Amino acid sequence: MGVSFDKIDGAALLKFDIQPAANAVSEADRAAKLRDPGFGRVFTDHMAIVRYNQTDGWHGARVESRANFPLDPAAAVLHYAQEIFEGLKAYVREDGGVNLFRPDANARRFRNSADRMAMAPLPEPVFIEAVEQLVRIDSAWIPGGEGSLYLRPFMIASEIFLGVKPSAEYIFAVIASPVGSYFKGGPAPVSIWVSENYTRAAIGGTGAVKCGGNYAASLRAQAEASDHGCDQVVFLDAVERRYIEELGGMNIFFVFEDGSLLTPPLGTILPGITRDSIIALAKDKGTQVREEAYTLDQWRADAASGKLKEAFACGTAAVISPIGQVRSASGDFTINGGTAGPVTMGLRKQLVDIQYGRAPDPHNWIRKVL
Ligand SMILES: *Cc1c(COP(=O)(O)O)cnc(C)c1O
């Protein structure tokens, strides 16, 4: 692909140096922080970190006290946004052990994201080891009940150089944040605003990879959604401006009266692991799942005729959220009377039960960390 990074594969053997934090939060303070953590504001005591340069390849793997990074003001990421990330969760089982859900799929997607952004590919075993080591050392931070520990692996271009080219140096790190439920009020139906002024992704662009730049470009559309009283934004395709693609950070599914599901095809959308898991679970039950283009006009017509019964958004953070209201410049419509439908809530329960180890795991998605 024109960009080559040497000394990658030896890193599969990297051993993490574990340095427990000397300044860890007290048990009482931790309990207070875990009472109502919300999303993404509370962090654990540690982080995992691995560095890349051309002489040493991936090196310096450590788990240490969570702290600021010293970053030179000319670090490439600050200027040209060479940055990628992932999101996955650790869950406490009823027996007190800890599950990760499909971390291998996140590791693979991270490699694909690195490839698209011309960044050094992180060997998948190093990604998984970094996540597991962090979960083990910070396991006291995983909330019980329906909470979980949200893990955020990310990579930034750290070479000090203002020339426009792929950075020769990178920092990979993992941080962890205990979370309650993503949407306040749990899986209550959300309202979504159809973005007709802004698009998220075009063919040949970066829509299919998890880079921070996609989110930066979506914020104006999300603000427009908020201005119209909506929780989330849904994007249309960039060519015809007719086909539903996905939300700012979640994929979308439609449920029809015959019980079948439809979800937009891969290409410019982010290949969600939740999306992939829902497709597999539905197919296990003999449900027909079509990965097909679907227009906003058809959605509105099917909602009016009763052919469309439910719609939901899905992603690691929120799992599955029913869609109750759809608003757009060309009119509003309601899904399932604005309430959560049975297919949506059934799939949600099925997936969550697997994640927490309460249901059998026929696809071997669970990785027991503790
Ligand atoms: C992360 C993400 C998703 C959901 O992916 P999961 O693997 O299910 O968490 C969907 N859309 C976008 C744009 C994303 O960044």
Side-chain angles (χ1 to χ4, degrees), residues 15-298:
K15 190 164 162 32
F16 281 75
D17 178 14
I18 312 285
Q19 298 173 356
N23 56 346
V25 167
S26 74
E27 209 175 318
D29 286 351
R30 187 172 61 231
K33 285 175 183 247
L34 289 179
R35 219 158 282 141
D36 182 20
F39 182 86
R41 291 203 186 273
V42 175
F43 297 96
T44 63
D45 292 314
H46 299 87
M47 63 181 183
I49 184 162
V50 190
R51 290 170 190 274
Y52 178 89
N53 66 32
Q54 292 191 323
T55 316
D56 304 319
W58 289 104
H59 66 282
R62 280 189 313 209
V63 172
E64 62 189 13
S65 183
R66 185 178 173 280
N68 292 349
F69 291 140
L71 265 192
D72 189 280
V77 65
L78 301 177
H79 303 272
Y80 309 123
Q82 229 192 339
E83 190 270 357
I84 57 172
F85 67 97
E86 271 302 327
L88 70 165
K89 283 173 168 177
Y91 310 84
V92 179
R93 297 191 305 273
E94 273 157 11
D95 67 8
V98 176
N99 286 348
L100 284 172
F101 184 71
R102 306 189 68 180
D104 52 321
N106 295 94
R108 198 176 324 122
R109 189 168 67 188
F110 197 67
R111 245 190 117 118
N112 291 339
S113 296
D115 184 63
R116 177 63 184 83
M117 303 301 284
M119 300 170 86
L122 182 74
E124 291 161 47
V126 177
F127 178 102
I128 295 172
E129 180 72 3
V131 167
E132 289 194 352
Q133 292 289 359
L134 185 62
V135 169
R136 287 201 189 96
I137 199 163
D138 279 335
S139 65
W141 284 93
I142 313 179
E146 291 296 295
S148 55
L149 187 65
Y150 184 80
L151 297 150
R152 168 53 60 86
F154 63 101
M155 195 204 300
I156 60 174
S158 52
E159 185 180 357
I160 301 165
F161 182 47
L162 293 182
V164 179
K165 65 154 191 96
S167 174
E169 293 173 22
Y170 296 91
I171 298 172
F172 166 72
V174 190
I175 55 174
S177 174
V179 296
S181 64
Y182 186 73
F183 290 116
K184 291 193 190 85
V190 294
S191 54
I192 62 174
W193 170 254
V194 183
S195 176
E196 285 163 292
N197 291 326
Y198 305 102
T199 58
R200 178 186 168 274
I203 294 160
T206 58
V209 304
K210 242 175 149 60
C211 63
N214 287 343
Y215 279 74
S218 78
L219 297 176
R220 190 63 191 77
Q222 177 63 41
E224 193 181 79
S226 302
D227 289 345
H228 288 88
C230 291
D231 301 305
Q232 297 281 318
V233 62
V234 64
F235 289 98
L236 301 175
D237 76 286
V239 178
E240 297 191 42
R241 304 289 190 99
R242 290 167 60 214
Y243 298 103
I244 304 290
E245 294 227 311
E246 63 171 314
L247 279 59
M250 283 186 283
N251 297 118
I252 190 166
F253 277 82
F254 305 95
V255 184
F256 296 93
E257 61 184 347
D258 63 359
S260 67
L261 299 180
L262 184 152
T263 192
L266 297 181
T268 51
I269 65 168
L270 197 286
I273 295 162
T274 317
R275 174 188 180 278
D276 184 73
S277 305
I278 289 165
I279 292 172
L281 292 176
K283 286 185 174 169
D284 288 350
K285 289 188 286 195
T287 300
Q288 191 201 351
V289 185
R290 288 173 291 149
E291 296 179 63
E292 284 175 14
Y294 192 57
T295 64
L296 172 63
D297 287 344
Q298 194 64 47

